[in-house]
Amino acid sequence: MQVSKDHPRYKSLVVREMMSKMVKEGIVTPTGMIAHGRGEAFDYLLGERTTENALNAEETAVALLLKASKPVISVNGNTAALCGKEIVHLAKMVGARIEVNLFHRTRLRVDKVCRHMERAGAKGVLGREPDALLPGISSERANSTIEGIFSADVVLVPLEDGDRAEALVKAGKKVIAIDLNPLSRTAKAASITIVDELTRAIPNMITMASSLKADPERRRRLIEKFDNSENLAESLEIIRARLEHLAQEGKA
Amino acid sequence: MQVSKDHPRYKSLVVREMMSKMVKEGIVTPTGMIAHGRGEAFDYLLGERTTENALNAEETAVALLLKASKPVISVNGNTAALCGKEIVHLAKMVGARIEVNLFHRTRLRVDKVCRHMERAGAKGVLGREPDALLPGISSERANSTIEGIFSADVVLVPLEDGDRAEALVKAGKKVIAIDLNPLSRTAKAASITIVDELTRAIPNMITMASSLKADPERRRRLIEKFDNSENLAESLEIIRARLEHLAQEGKA
Protein backbone atom coordinates (compact mmCIF):
# COMPACT_ATOMS: atom_id res chain seq x y z
CA MET A 1 0.00 0.00 0.00
CA GLN A 2 1.10 3.57 -0.75
CA VAL A 3 1.03 5.88 2.26
CA SER A 4 0.52 9.58 1.54
CA LYS A 5 3.08 11.82 3.27
CA ASP A 6 0.28 14.25 4.13
CA HIS A 7 -1.39 11.73 6.36
CA PRO A 8 -1.44 12.93 9.99
CA ARG A 9 -0.06 9.58 11.13
CA TYR A 10 2.54 9.14 8.38
CA LYS A 11 5.34 7.76 10.55
CA SER A 12 3.11 5.24 12.33
CA LEU A 13 1.68 4.12 8.98
CA VAL A 14 5.14 3.50 7.49
CA VAL A 15 6.16 1.44 10.54
CA ARG A 16 2.88 -0.49 10.33
CA GLU A 17 3.51 -1.41 6.70
CA MET A 18 7.06 -2.52 7.53
CA MET A 19 5.77 -4.65 10.42
CA SER A 20 3.14 -6.20 8.10
CA LYS A 21 5.92 -7.25 5.75
CA MET A 22 7.74 -8.77 8.72
CA VAL A 23 4.65 -10.84 9.54
CA LYS A 24 4.71 -12.22 6.00
CA GLU A 25 8.40 -13.05 6.43
CA GLY A 26 7.69 -14.87 9.69
CA ILE A 27 9.78 -12.54 11.87
CA VAL A 28 6.81 -10.93 13.63
CA THR A 29 3.73 -12.91 14.71
CA PRO A 30 0.14 -11.69 14.39
CA THR A 31 -0.09 -11.37 18.17
CA GLY A 32 3.18 -9.41 18.08
CA MET A 33 1.25 -6.91 15.97
CA ILE A 34 -1.35 -6.58 18.75
CA ALA A 35 1.44 -5.83 21.22
CA HIS A 36 2.77 -3.19 18.82
CA GLY A 37 -0.67 -1.60 18.73
CA ARG A 38 -0.85 -1.45 22.52
CA GLY A 39 2.49 0.33 22.48
CA GLU A 40 1.25 2.80 19.87
CA ALA A 41 -1.67 3.75 22.10
CA PHE A 42 0.52 4.40 25.13
CA ASP A 43 3.04 6.30 23.02
CA TYR A 44 0.26 8.49 21.72
CA LEU A 45 -0.74 9.24 25.32
CA LEU A 46 2.88 10.11 26.16
CA GLY A 47 2.96 12.59 23.27
CA GLU A 48 5.22 10.41 21.07
CA ARG A 49 8.39 11.83 22.54
CA THR A 50 11.11 10.77 24.96
CA THR A 51 10.27 12.26 28.33
CA GLU A 52 12.88 13.50 30.76
CA ASN A 53 12.37 10.58 33.11
CA ALA A 54 12.67 8.15 30.20
CA LEU A 55 16.03 9.76 29.37
CA ASN A 56 17.09 9.26 32.97
CA ALA A 57 16.04 5.59 32.88
CA GLU A 58 17.89 5.11 29.58
CA GLU A 59 21.10 6.61 30.91
CA THR A 60 20.91 4.56 34.11
CA ALA A 61 20.26 1.44 32.07
CA VAL A 62 23.39 2.08 30.01
CA ALA A 63 25.40 2.60 33.20
CA LEU A 64 24.11 -0.74 34.52
CA LEU A 65 24.92 -2.54 31.26
CA LEU A 66 28.45 -1.11 31.36
CA LYS A 67 28.85 -2.19 34.98
CA ALA A 68 27.58 -5.74 34.36
CA SER A 69 29.99 -8.64 34.10
CA LYS A 70 27.67 -10.67 31.84
CA PRO A 71 25.14 -8.38 30.14
CA VAL A 72 22.74 -9.89 27.60
CA ILE A 73 20.18 -8.31 25.30
CA SER A 74 17.14 -10.54 24.80
CA VAL A 75 15.65 -10.13 21.33
CA ASN A 76 12.18 -11.14 20.15
CA GLY A 77 10.50 -10.77 16.75
CA ASN A 78 9.18 -7.24 17.28
CA THR A 79 12.54 -5.98 18.56
CA ALA A 80 14.40 -7.53 15.63
CA ALA A 81 11.94 -6.00 13.18
CA LEU A 82 11.87 -2.54 14.71
CA CYS A 83 15.55 -1.98 15.37
CA GLY A 84 17.80 -4.97 14.69
CA LYS A 85 20.75 -2.83 13.56
CA GLU A 86 20.57 -0.49 16.51
CA ILE A 87 20.45 -3.43 18.94
CA VAL A 88 23.64 -4.80 17.35
CA HIS A 89 25.28 -1.39 17.71
CA LEU A 90 24.27 -1.04 21.35
CA ALA A 91 25.42 -4.59 22.15
CA LYS A 92 28.86 -3.76 20.77
CA MET A 93 29.04 -0.50 22.73
CA VAL A 94 28.28 -2.13 26.09
CA GLY A 95 29.88 -5.52 25.42
CA ALA A 96 26.61 -7.47 25.63
CA ARG A 97 25.68 -10.78 24.02
CA ILE A 98 22.49 -11.05 21.98
CA GLU A 99 20.12 -13.94 22.65
CA VAL A 100 16.95 -14.58 20.68
CA ASN A 101 14.01 -15.61 22.85
CA LEU A 102 10.53 -15.95 21.43
CA PHE A 103 7.05 -16.16 22.91
CA HIS A 104 5.84 -18.10 19.87
CA ARG A 105 8.87 -20.34 19.48
CA THR A 106 9.48 -22.73 16.64
CA ARG A 107 12.94 -23.81 15.47
CA LEU A 108 12.23 -22.23 12.10
CA ARG A 109 11.19 -18.92 13.58
CA VAL A 110 14.14 -18.77 15.98
CA ASP A 111 16.42 -19.35 13.02
CA LYS A 112 14.68 -16.61 10.99
CA VAL A 113 15.05 -14.05 13.78
CA CYS A 114 18.69 -15.07 14.38
CA ARG A 115 19.47 -14.69 10.68
CA HIS A 116 17.69 -11.33 10.65
CA MET A 117 19.98 -10.18 13.48
CA GLU A 118 23.04 -11.60 11.71
CA ARG A 119 22.14 -9.72 8.54
CA ALA A 120 21.98 -6.63 10.78
CA GLY A 121 25.62 -7.33 11.75
CA ALA A 122 25.31 -9.41 14.92
CA LYS A 123 28.05 -11.97 15.68
CA GLY A 124 27.63 -15.01 17.93
CA VAL A 125 23.87 -14.69 18.31
CA LEU A 126 22.60 -17.11 20.98
CA GLY A 127 19.25 -18.86 21.17
CA ARG A 128 19.25 -21.50 18.41
CA GLU A 129 20.43 -24.23 20.78
CA PRO A 130 19.02 -23.57 24.25
CA ASP A 131 20.72 -25.69 26.93
CA ALA A 132 19.06 -24.40 30.11
CA LEU A 133 15.55 -23.65 31.37
CA LEU A 134 14.77 -20.50 33.30
CA PRO A 135 12.67 -21.61 36.31
CA GLY A 136 9.17 -20.25 36.89
CA ILE A 137 7.99 -20.05 33.28
CA SER A 138 5.72 -22.74 31.86
CA SER A 139 5.98 -21.65 28.24
CA GLU A 140 8.62 -21.95 25.56
CA ARG A 141 10.20 -18.71 26.73
CA ALA A 142 11.84 -20.65 29.55
CA ASN A 143 14.42 -21.76 26.98
CA SER A 144 17.76 -20.07 27.49
CA THR A 145 21.46 -20.67 27.05
CA ILE A 146 24.09 -21.13 29.76
CA GLU A 147 26.43 -18.93 27.77
CA GLY A 148 23.81 -16.18 27.62
CA ILE A 149 20.68 -15.29 29.59
CA PHE A 150 20.87 -18.21 32.05
CA SER A 151 24.17 -16.92 33.50
CA ALA A 152 23.67 -13.21 32.82
CA ASP A 153 23.70 -10.70 35.66
CA VAL A 154 22.01 -7.92 33.68
CA VAL A 155 19.40 -8.58 30.97
CA LEU A 156 17.92 -5.94 28.71
CA VAL A 157 14.47 -7.12 27.64
CA PRO A 158 12.86 -4.79 25.14
CA LEU A 159 9.13 -5.47 24.75
CA GLU A 160 8.92 -8.31 27.26
CA ASP A 161 5.84 -9.96 28.72
CA GLY A 162 5.15 -9.94 32.43
CA ASP A 163 5.71 -13.64 33.19
CA ARG A 164 9.23 -13.69 31.82
CA ALA A 165 10.24 -10.35 33.29
CA GLU A 166 9.14 -11.58 36.72
CA ALA A 167 10.96 -14.90 36.29
CA LEU A 168 14.19 -13.15 35.30
CA VAL A 169 14.02 -10.96 38.40
CA LYS A 170 13.30 -14.02 40.58
CA ALA A 171 16.36 -15.69 39.07
CA GLY A 172 18.40 -12.87 40.62
CA LYS A 173 19.07 -10.86 37.49
CA LYS A 174 18.88 -7.11 37.13
CA VAL A 175 16.25 -6.59 34.45
CA ILE A 176 16.05 -3.56 32.18
CA ALA A 177 12.69 -3.36 30.39
CA ILE A 178 11.58 -1.06 27.60
CA ASP A 179 7.82 -0.82 27.88
CA LEU A 180 5.47 2.00 26.91
CA ASN A 181 2.87 0.92 29.46
CA PRO A 182 4.02 2.14 32.88
CA LEU A 183 1.29 0.01 34.47
CA SER A 184 2.27 -3.34 32.96
CA ARG A 185 3.54 -6.23 35.06
CA THR A 186 6.82 -6.03 33.14
CA ALA A 187 7.16 -2.35 34.00
CA LYS A 188 6.53 -3.06 37.67
CA ALA A 189 8.77 -6.13 37.89
CA ALA A 190 11.85 -4.66 36.19
CA SER A 191 14.82 -3.11 37.99
CA ILE A 192 14.85 -0.28 35.45
CA THR A 193 11.86 0.41 33.23
CA ILE A 194 12.33 2.65 30.23
CA VAL A 195 8.92 4.04 29.32
CA ASP A 196 9.78 5.04 25.77
CA GLU A 197 9.32 3.85 22.22
CA LEU A 198 11.98 1.32 21.22
CA THR A 199 13.25 3.11 18.11
CA ARG A 200 13.75 6.28 20.12
CA ALA A 201 15.20 4.58 23.20
CA ILE A 202 17.92 2.44 21.61
CA PRO A 203 19.58 5.25 19.58
CA ASN A 204 19.54 7.41 22.71
CA MET A 205 21.26 4.62 24.62
CA ILE A 206 23.91 4.23 21.92
CA THR A 207 24.77 7.93 22.20
CA MET A 208 24.83 7.75 25.99
CA ALA A 209 27.11 4.71 25.97
CA SER A 210 30.00 6.62 24.34
CA SER A 211 30.05 9.37 26.94
CA LEU A 212 29.30 7.12 29.94
CA LYS A 213 32.14 4.79 29.02
CA ALA A 214 34.59 7.55 29.92
CA ASP A 215 32.81 8.62 33.09
CA PRO A 216 32.74 5.95 35.85
CA GLU A 217 31.77 8.52 38.48
CA ARG A 218 28.62 9.50 36.59
CA ARG A 219 27.77 5.83 36.07
CA ARG A 220 28.06 5.21 39.80
CA ARG A 221 25.87 8.18 40.69
CA LEU A 222 23.18 7.31 38.14
CA ILE A 223 22.82 3.77 39.48
CA GLU A 224 22.86 4.95 43.10
CA LYS A 225 20.17 7.59 42.59
CA PHE A 226 17.71 5.67 40.42
CA ASP A 227 14.34 4.66 41.91
CA ASN A 228 12.22 2.65 39.48
CA SER A 229 8.84 3.09 41.15
CA GLU A 230 9.42 6.83 41.39
CA ASN A 231 10.40 6.91 37.72
CA LEU A 232 7.29 4.92 36.75
CA ALA A 233 5.07 7.24 38.79
CA GLU A 234 6.51 10.17 36.83
CA SER A 235 5.63 8.54 33.50
CA LEU A 236 2.12 7.90 34.73
CA GLU A 237 1.82 11.50 35.88
CA ILE A 238 2.91 12.72 32.43
CA ILE A 239 0.17 10.65 30.77
CA ARG A 240 -2.39 11.84 33.31
CA ALA A 241 -1.46 15.50 32.80
CA ARG A 242 -1.55 15.11 29.03
CA LEU A 243 -5.01 13.56 29.17
CA GLU A 244 -6.17 16.47 31.28
CA HIS A 245 -4.71 18.87 28.72
CA LEU A 246 -6.32 17.03 25.81
CA ALA A 247 -9.64 16.94 27.65
CA GLN A 248 -9.46 20.74 28.10
CA GLU A 249 -8.62 21.18 24.42
CA GLY A 250 -11.59 18.99 23.49
CA LYS A 251 -13.92 21.22 25.49
CA ALA A 252 -12.52 24.47 24.05
CA MET B 1 -0.90 -22.13 21.56
CA GLN B 2 -2.50 -23.30 24.80
CA VAL B 3 -3.57 -20.45 27.07
CA SER B 4 -3.66 -21.19 30.79
CA LYS B 5 -6.92 -20.13 32.47
CA ASP B 6 -4.90 -18.82 35.41
CA HIS B 7 -3.27 -16.16 33.31
CA PRO B 8 -4.24 -12.66 34.50
CA ARG B 9 -5.14 -11.70 30.93
CA TYR B 10 -6.95 -14.91 29.99
CA LYS B 11 -9.83 -13.32 28.07
CA SER B 12 -7.54 -11.01 26.05
CA LEU B 13 -5.26 -13.95 25.24
CA VAL B 14 -8.13 -16.08 23.93
CA VAL B 15 -9.34 -13.23 21.70
CA ARG B 16 -5.75 -12.67 20.49
CA GLU B 17 -5.42 -16.32 19.46
CA MET B 18 -8.78 -16.19 17.65
CA MET B 19 -7.69 -13.00 15.82
CA SER B 20 -4.39 -14.69 14.85
CA LYS B 21 -6.36 -17.50 13.25
CA MET B 22 -8.40 -14.89 11.38
CA VAL B 23 -5.18 -13.39 10.00
CA LYS B 24 -4.24 -16.81 8.66
CA GLU B 25 -7.70 -17.10 7.06
CA GLY B 26 -7.31 -13.69 5.43
CA ILE B 27 -10.24 -12.08 7.26
CA VAL B 28 -8.09 -9.83 9.47
CA THR B 29 -4.95 -8.06 8.16
CA PRO B 30 -1.70 -7.69 10.11
CA THR B 31 -2.33 -3.96 10.46
CA GLY B 32 -5.82 -4.80 11.69
CA MET B 33 -4.05 -6.57 14.55
CA ILE B 34 -2.21 -3.34 15.41
CA ALA B 35 -5.55 -1.53 15.56
CA HIS B 36 -6.85 -4.25 17.87
CA GLY B 37 -3.85 -3.70 20.14
CA ARG B 38 -4.50 0.04 20.32
CA GLY B 39 -8.05 -0.77 21.36
CA GLU B 40 -6.82 -3.18 24.04
CA ALA B 41 -4.68 -0.44 25.58
CA PHE B 42 -7.53 2.05 25.77
CA ASP B 43 -9.89 -0.61 27.10
CA TYR B 44 -7.40 -1.42 29.83
CA LEU B 45 -7.36 2.27 30.76
CA LEU B 46 -11.15 2.33 30.85
CA GLY B 47 -11.16 -0.61 33.26
CA GLU B 48 -12.41 -3.13 30.67
CA ARG B 49 -16.06 -2.39 31.40
CA THR B 50 -18.95 -0.53 29.80
CA THR B 51 -19.15 2.87 31.43
CA GLU B 52 -22.40 4.66 32.10
CA ASN B 53 -21.81 7.21 29.34
CA ALA B 54 -21.01 4.39 26.91
CA LEU B 55 -24.37 2.82 27.78
CA ASN B 56 -26.02 6.16 27.06
CA ALA B 57 -24.25 6.44 23.70
CA GLU B 58 -25.25 2.86 22.85
CA GLU B 59 -28.89 3.45 23.64
CA THR B 60 -28.97 6.71 21.68
CA ALA B 61 -27.27 4.97 18.76
CA VAL B 62 -29.97 2.29 18.72
CA ALA B 63 -32.65 5.00 18.82
CA LEU B 64 -31.02 6.69 15.83
CA LEU B 65 -30.75 3.41 13.90
CA LEU B 66 -34.45 2.73 14.56
CA LYS B 67 -35.36 6.25 13.41
CA ALA B 68 -33.28 6.03 10.22
CA SER B 69 -34.94 5.44 6.88
CA LYS B 70 -31.84 3.77 5.38
CA PRO B 71 -29.54 2.52 8.13
CA VAL B 72 -26.42 0.60 7.15
CA ILE B 73 -23.81 -1.22 9.25
CA SER B 74 -20.34 -1.00 7.70
CA VAL B 75 -18.27 -4.11 8.40
CA ASN B 76 -14.51 -4.52 8.13
CA GLY B 77 -12.29 -7.52 8.85
CA ASN B 78 -11.86 -6.90 12.58
CA THR B 79 -15.60 -6.37 13.11
CA ALA B 80 -16.45 -9.54 11.21
CA ALA B 81 -13.89 -11.51 13.21
CA LEU B 82 -14.86 -10.14 16.62
CA CYS B 83 -18.65 -10.26 16.39
CA GLY B 84 -20.02 -11.27 13.01
CA LYS B 85 -23.06 -13.05 14.48
CA GLU B 86 -23.97 -10.23 16.82
CA ILE B 87 -23.77 -7.70 13.97
CA VAL B 88 -26.20 -9.84 11.96
CA HIS B 89 -28.53 -9.97 14.96
CA LEU B 90 -28.39 -6.20 15.51
CA ALA B 91 -28.94 -5.50 11.80
CA LYS B 92 -32.12 -7.60 11.89
CA MET B 93 -33.36 -5.85 15.04
CA VAL B 94 -33.00 -2.34 13.60
CA GLY B 95 -33.69 -3.17 9.94
CA ALA B 96 -30.21 -2.22 8.73
CA ARG B 97 -28.30 -3.47 5.68
CA ILE B 98 -24.79 -4.81 6.09
CA GLU B 99 -22.06 -3.54 3.74
CA VAL B 100 -18.48 -4.81 3.78
CA ASN B 101 -15.92 -2.04 3.38
CA LEU B 102 -12.21 -2.71 3.78
CA PHE B 103 -9.15 -0.56 4.29
CA HIS B 104 -6.98 -3.22 2.64
CA ARG B 105 -9.33 -4.10 -0.18
CA THR B 106 -8.86 -6.91 -2.64
CA ARG B 107 -11.70 -8.72 -4.43
CA LEU B 108 -10.64 -11.93 -2.72
CA ARG B 109 -10.64 -10.42 0.74
CA VAL B 110 -14.00 -8.68 0.27
CA ASP B 111 -15.43 -12.00 -0.77
CA LYS B 112 -13.92 -13.75 2.26
CA VAL B 113 -15.36 -11.21 4.69
CA CYS B 114 -18.76 -11.31 2.95
CA ARG B 115 -18.79 -15.09 3.17
CA HIS B 116 -17.80 -14.92 6.82
CA MET B 117 -20.82 -12.66 7.45
CA GLU B 118 -23.07 -14.94 5.42
CA ARG B 119 -21.95 -17.94 7.45
CA ALA B 120 -22.90 -15.85 10.51
CA GLY B 121 -26.43 -15.62 9.08
CA ALA B 122 -26.35 -12.36 7.08
CA LYS B 123 -28.62 -12.05 4.04
CA GLY B 124 -28.06 -9.63 1.13
CA VAL B 125 -24.60 -8.51 2.23
CA LEU B 126 -23.46 -5.54 0.13
CA GLY B 127 -19.93 -4.61 -0.89
CA ARG B 128 -18.83 -7.20 -3.44
CA GLU B 129 -19.87 -5.00 -6.38
CA PRO B 130 -19.37 -1.34 -5.45
CA ASP B 131 -21.12 1.04 -7.88
CA ALA B 132 -20.45 4.43 -6.26
CA LEU B 133 -17.52 6.33 -4.79
CA LEU B 134 -17.80 8.25 -1.55
CA PRO B 135 -16.19 11.68 -2.19
CA GLY B 136 -13.22 12.89 -0.15
CA ILE B 137 -11.37 9.58 0.29
CA SER B 138 -8.38 8.78 -1.89
CA SER B 139 -8.11 5.12 -0.87
CA GLU B 140 -10.02 1.98 -1.71
CA ARG B 141 -12.41 2.66 1.13
CA ALA B 142 -14.19 5.18 -1.10
CA ASN B 143 -15.90 2.18 -2.72
CA SER B 144 -19.55 1.94 -1.76
CA THR B 145 -22.88 0.78 -3.10
CA ILE B 146 -25.84 2.92 -4.10
CA GLU B 147 -28.13 0.41 -2.44
CA GLY B 148 -26.14 0.67 0.80
CA ILE B 149 -23.75 3.19 2.30
CA PHE B 150 -23.84 5.68 -0.57
CA SER B 151 -27.54 6.38 0.00
CA ALA B 152 -27.70 5.65 3.73
CA ASP B 153 -28.84 8.31 6.18
CA VAL B 154 -27.36 6.60 9.26
CA VAL B 155 -24.18 4.50 9.14
CA LEU B 156 -22.83 2.46 12.04
CA VAL B 157 -19.07 2.17 11.59
CA PRO B 158 -17.48 -0.05 14.23
CA LEU B 159 -13.69 0.35 14.32
CA GLU B 160 -13.42 2.99 11.59
CA ASP B 161 -10.42 5.11 10.61
CA GLY B 162 -10.55 8.89 10.77
CA ASP B 163 -10.50 9.66 7.04
CA ARG B 164 -13.55 7.61 6.26
CA ALA B 165 -15.52 8.69 9.32
CA GLU B 166 -14.94 12.33 8.34
CA ALA B 167 -15.90 11.68 4.71
CA LEU B 168 -19.15 9.98 5.76
CA VAL B 169 -20.08 12.96 7.93
CA LYS B 170 -19.23 15.38 5.09
CA ALA B 171 -21.48 13.34 2.82
CA GLY B 172 -24.33 14.32 5.15
CA LYS B 173 -24.74 11.04 6.98
CA LYS B 174 -25.25 10.55 10.69
CA VAL B 175 -22.29 8.45 11.74
CA ILE B 176 -22.24 6.14 14.76
CA ALA B 177 -18.71 5.07 15.64
CA ILE B 178 -17.53 2.45 18.11
CA ASP B 179 -14.03 3.48 19.14
CA LEU B 180 -12.16 2.89 22.40
CA ASN B 181 -9.97 5.96 21.88
CA PRO B 182 -12.03 9.02 22.83
CA LEU B 183 -9.31 11.23 21.31
CA SER B 184 -9.26 9.69 17.84
CA ARG B 185 -10.31 11.60 14.73
CA THR B 186 -13.08 9.05 14.26
CA ALA B 187 -14.35 9.66 17.79
CA LYS B 188 -14.38 13.41 17.22
CA ALA B 189 -15.93 13.30 13.75
CA ALA B 190 -18.83 10.95 14.54
CA SER B 191 -22.35 12.05 15.44
CA ILE B 192 -22.45 9.44 18.20
CA THR B 193 -19.26 7.85 19.50
CA ILE B 194 -19.56 4.72 21.60
CA VAL B 195 -16.38 4.45 23.67
CA ASP B 196 -16.68 0.77 24.46
CA GLU B 197 -15.26 -2.55 23.38
CA LEU B 198 -17.09 -3.95 20.37
CA THR B 199 -18.03 -7.33 21.85
CA ARG B 200 -19.56 -5.60 24.87
CA ALA B 201 -21.23 -2.81 22.88
CA ILE B 202 -23.08 -4.82 20.22
CA PRO B 203 -24.81 -7.27 22.63
CA ASN B 204 -25.87 -4.29 24.75
CA MET B 205 -27.33 -2.65 21.66
CA ILE B 206 -29.25 -5.82 20.74
CA THR B 207 -30.88 -5.86 24.18
CA MET B 208 -31.67 -2.15 23.98
CA ALA B 209 -33.23 -2.51 20.54
CA SER B 210 -36.05 -4.77 21.81
CA SER B 211 -37.21 -2.35 24.49
CA LEU B 212 -36.65 0.82 22.42
CA LYS B 213 -38.71 -0.54 19.55
CA ALA B 214 -41.80 -0.29 21.76
CA ASP B 215 -40.96 3.15 23.16
CA PRO B 216 -40.92 5.97 20.56
CA GLU B 217 -41.08 8.62 23.27
CA ARG B 218 -37.85 7.37 24.90
CA ARG B 219 -36.17 7.19 21.47
CA ARG B 220 -37.10 10.80 20.79
CA ARG B 221 -35.80 12.00 24.17
CA LEU B 222 -32.52 10.08 23.89
CA ILE B 223 -31.71 11.62 20.51
CA GLU B 224 -32.74 15.10 21.63
CA LYS B 225 -30.61 15.04 24.78
CA PHE B 226 -27.41 13.48 23.42
CA ASP B 227 -24.30 15.67 23.13
CA ASN B 228 -21.34 13.80 21.62
CA SER B 229 -18.54 16.08 22.74
CA GLU B 230 -19.90 16.05 26.28
CA ASN B 231 -20.11 12.28 26.17
CA LEU B 232 -16.53 12.03 24.87
CA ALA B 233 -15.30 14.36 27.60
CA GLU B 234 -16.87 12.03 30.17
CA SER B 235 -14.99 9.02 28.75
CA LEU B 236 -11.76 10.95 28.88
CA GLU B 237 -12.44 11.98 32.46
CA ILE B 238 -13.03 8.33 33.42
CA ILE B 239 -9.65 7.36 31.96
CA ARG B 240 -7.95 10.30 33.65
CA ALA B 241 -9.48 9.46 37.04
CA ARG B 242 -8.52 5.80 36.68
CA LEU B 243 -4.93 6.72 35.88
CA GLU B 244 -4.87 8.88 38.97
CA HIS B 245 -6.20 5.97 41.02
CA LEU B 246 -3.68 3.54 39.53
CA ALA B 247 -0.87 6.02 40.15
CA GLN B 248 -1.92 6.25 43.82
CA GLU B 249 -2.05 2.46 44.05
CA GLY B 250 1.42 2.25 42.57
CA LYS B 251 2.81 4.59 45.21
CA ALA B 252 1.09 2.77 48.08
Side-chain angles (χ1 to χ4, degrees):
Chain A
M1 202 191 89
Q2 268 279 13
V3 177
S4 155
K5 282 203 176 182
D6 305 335
H7 197 281
R9 314 231 25 91
Y10 177 71
K11 201 196 149 193
S12 304
L13 293 180
V14 170
V15 173
R16 284 175 206 164
E17 290 305 314
M18 181 277 286
M19 294 286 279
S20 281
K21 247 183 58 188
M22 290 289 177
V23 172
K24 272 153 209 157
E25 287 181 20
I27 303 285
V28 172
T29 61
T31 53
M33 295 293 267
I34 296 182
H36 183 74
R38 284 197 299 277
E40 273 193 7
F42 281 102
D43 198 23
Y44 172 80
L45 292 176
L46 274 167
E48 290 168 319
R49 68 200 163 88
T50 300
T51 62
E52 206 143 318
N53 65 307
L55 274 177
N56 180 31
E58 284 160 15
E59 204 180 1
T60 310
V62 173
L64 194 63
L65 285 165
L66 287 168
K67 189 190 172 190
S69 49
K70 290 194 84 179
V72 177
I73 304 179
S74 177
V75 169
N76 63 13
N78 282 26
T79 301
L82 285 166
C83 63
K85 272 187 191 162
E86 293 78 4
I87 290 284
V88 173
H89 193 164
L90 179 65
K92 277 181 194 159
M93 295 290 290
V94 301
R97 296 295 297 265
I98 290 171
E99 180 164 328
V100 170
N101 180 285
L102 304 180
F103 192 98
H104 294 272
R105 183 192 176 89
T106 62
R107 274 188 91 82
L108 179 68
R109 210 180 143 232
V110 169
D111 190 57
K112 274 187 183 174
V113 178
C114 286
R115 274 192 289 138
H116 184 86
M117 293 306 292
E118 284 154 2
R119 275 194 304 269
K123 303 257 181 279
V125 175
L126 300 164
R128 278 186 181 97
E129 305 288 347
D131 50 12
L133 287 176
L134 196 73
I137 312 179
S138 52
S139 74
E140 293 283 340
R141 289 155 304 152
N143 284 297
S144 64
T145 70
I146 293 172
E147 215 183 330
I149 286 168
F150 193 76
S151 321
D153 56 344
V154 175
V155 187
L156 169 61
V157 284
L159 317 178
E160 190 53 72
D161 69 283
D163 289 346
R164 186 158 174 260
E166 285 170 2
L168 286 165
V169 170
K170 269 197 194 136
K173 298 168 198 320
K174 297 266 181 200
V175 172
I176 302 164
I178 304 180
D179 193 327
L180 281 157
N181 176 1
L183 295 160
S184 73
R185 285 192 299 137
T186 301
K188 287 176 187 166
S191 323
I192 300 177
T193 307
I194 297 165
V195 182
D196 198 5
E197 199 275 322
L198 191 65
T199 69
R200 291 195 304 267
I202 302 292
N204 285 347
M205 291 169 77
I206 291 168
T207 309
M208 289 160 175
S210 353
S211 60
L212 276 181
K213 263 187 167 177
D215 195 343
E217 179 50 28
R218 182 165 174 80
R219 295 206 299 267
R220 200 191 51 72
R221 261 186 295 124
L222 279 164
I223 294 170
E224 201 180 277
K225 270 180 55 188
F226 189 81
D227 180 328
N228 201 47
S229 47
E230 212 172 83
N231 198 276
L232 280 175
E234 280 168 31
S235 293
L236 211 53
E237 171 55 25
I238 288 164
I239 294 178
R240 197 203 55 74
R242 195 170 129 84
L243 273 174
E244 195 165 279
H245 172 74
L246 290 167
Q248 293 298 333
E249 247 185 3
K251 276 183 207 156
Chain B
M1 202 192 92
Q2 268 279 13
V3 177
S4 153
K5 282 205 177 181
D6 304 336
H7 197 284
R9 318 238 13 97
Y10 176 71
K11 199 196 152 192
S12 305
L13 294 179
V14 169
V15 173
R16 283 177 205 162
E17 290 306 312
M18 180 277 286
M19 293 287 277
S20 280
K21 246 183 59 187
M22 289 290 177
V23 172
K24 272 151 209 156
E25 289 181 19
I27 303 283
V28 172
T29 62
T31 53
M33 295 294 267
I34 296 181
H36 184 73
R38 285 198 300 278
E40 272 192 9
F42 281 102
D43 198 24
Y44 172 80
L45 292 175
L46 274 166
E48 291 169 317
R49 69 202 163 89
T50 300
T51 61
E52 206 143 319
N53 64 306
L55 274 178
N56 181 30
E58 284 159 14
E59 205 180 359
T60 311
V62 173
L64 195 62
L65 284 165
L66 287 168
K67 189 190 171 189
S69 49
K70 289 193 84 178
V72 177
I73 304 179
S74 178
V75 169
N76 63 12
N78 282 27
T79 302
L82 286 166
C83 61
K85 271 188 192 162
E86 292 79 3
I87 290 284
V88 173
H89 193 164
L90 179 64
K92 277 182 195 158
M93 296 289 292
V94 300
R97 296 296 296 264
I98 291 172
E99 180 163 328
V100 170
N101 181 285
L102 305 179
F103 192 100
H104 294 271
R105 183 192 177 90
T106 62
R107 273 188 91 82
L108 179 68
R109 208 178 144 235
V110 170
D111 190 56
K112 274 185 184 175
V113 178
C114 286
R115 272 192 291 139
H116 184 86
M117 292 306 293
E118 284 155 0
R119 274 195 304 271
K123 303 257 181 280
V125 176
L126 300 164
R128 278 186 180 98
E129 306 288 347
D131 51 12
L133 288 175
L134 196 72
I137 312 179
S138 51
S139 73
E140 293 284 341
R141 289 155 304 150
N143 283 296
S144 64
T145 69
I146 292 175
E147 216 183 329
I149 287 169
F150 193 77
S151 320
D153 56 343
V154 175
V155 186
L156 169 61
V157 284
L159 317 177
E160 191 52 70
D161 69 283
D163 290 346
R164 185 157 174 261
E166 285 169 2
L168 286 165
V169 170
K170 269 197 194 136
K173 298 169 197 320
K174 297 267 181 200
V175 172
I176 302 163
I178 303 180
D179 192 327
L180 280 156
N181 176 0
L183 295 159
S184 74
R185 286 192 299 137
T186 300
K188 287 175 187 166
S191 323
I192 299 177
T193 306
I194 296 165
V195 182
D196 197 6
E197 200 274 321
L198 191 64
T199 69
R200 292 195 303 267
I202 302 291
N204 285 346
M205 290 169 77
I206 292 169
T207 309
M208 288 159 174
S210 356
S211 58
L212 276 181
K213 264 188 167 175
D215 195 343
E217 179 49 27
R218 182 166 174 81
R219 295 204 302 267
R220 200 190 53 73
R221 261 186 296 123
L222 280 164
I223 294 171
E224 198 180 277
K225 270 181 55 190
F226 190 79
D227 179 327
N228 202 46
S229 47
E230 209 172 87
N231 198 275
L232 280 175
E234 281 169 29
S235 293
L236 211 53
E237 172 55 25
I238 288 166
I239 294 178
R240 196 202 56 74
R242 195 170 129 85
L243 273 174
E244 196 165 279
H245 172 74
L246 290 166
Q248 293 298 334
E249 246 186 4
K251 277 182 208 159

